Amino acid sequence: MGRRLAAAVHVRHPVSHEWVVLEPGYEPDEDLAAEITNPHAWEEDDAASDDQPEPEPEPEPEPGASAGAEPAAEPPTPRRQRKTAETSE
């Protein structure tokens, strides 16, 4: 079974060299599929998504506990440098 398109694609037919519009849900032949270079044009494979585990949710903080991050201290204010006094001796 071929891959299915997730978006409409404009592609030049490899034999007739005419522009062809392929609609979402269409499963193109391998010669047409080879002309589609955008990986986002394809629907996700169900098998590929089954192989990847879902990310685990982050644990919720306990009631009354701090969020763990202290407020960031403000950066120090830059001070102007003073010119050194030139003395003539």
Side-chain angles (χ1 to χ4, degrees), residues 33-52:
E35 299 294 319
I36 301 170
T37 58
N38 185 348
H40 299 292
W42 300 102
E43 288 184 354
E44 287 188 25
D45 293 335
D46 291 335
S49 62
D50 291 341
D51 293 342
Q52 299 173 352

Side-chain angles (χ1 to χ4, degrees), residues 1-2 4 6 8 10-11 16 18 29-32 34 39-40 44 57 60 66 68 73-74 80 83-84:
M1 186 162 124
R4 188 180 303 250
H10 296 254
V11 61
S16 66
E18 294 178 339
D29 296 333
E30 289 189 27
D31 57 341
L32 273 175
H40 299 292
E44 287 188 25
E60 294 184 23
S66 65
E74 292 187 26
R80 289 187 147 176
K83 289 184 177 180
T84 56

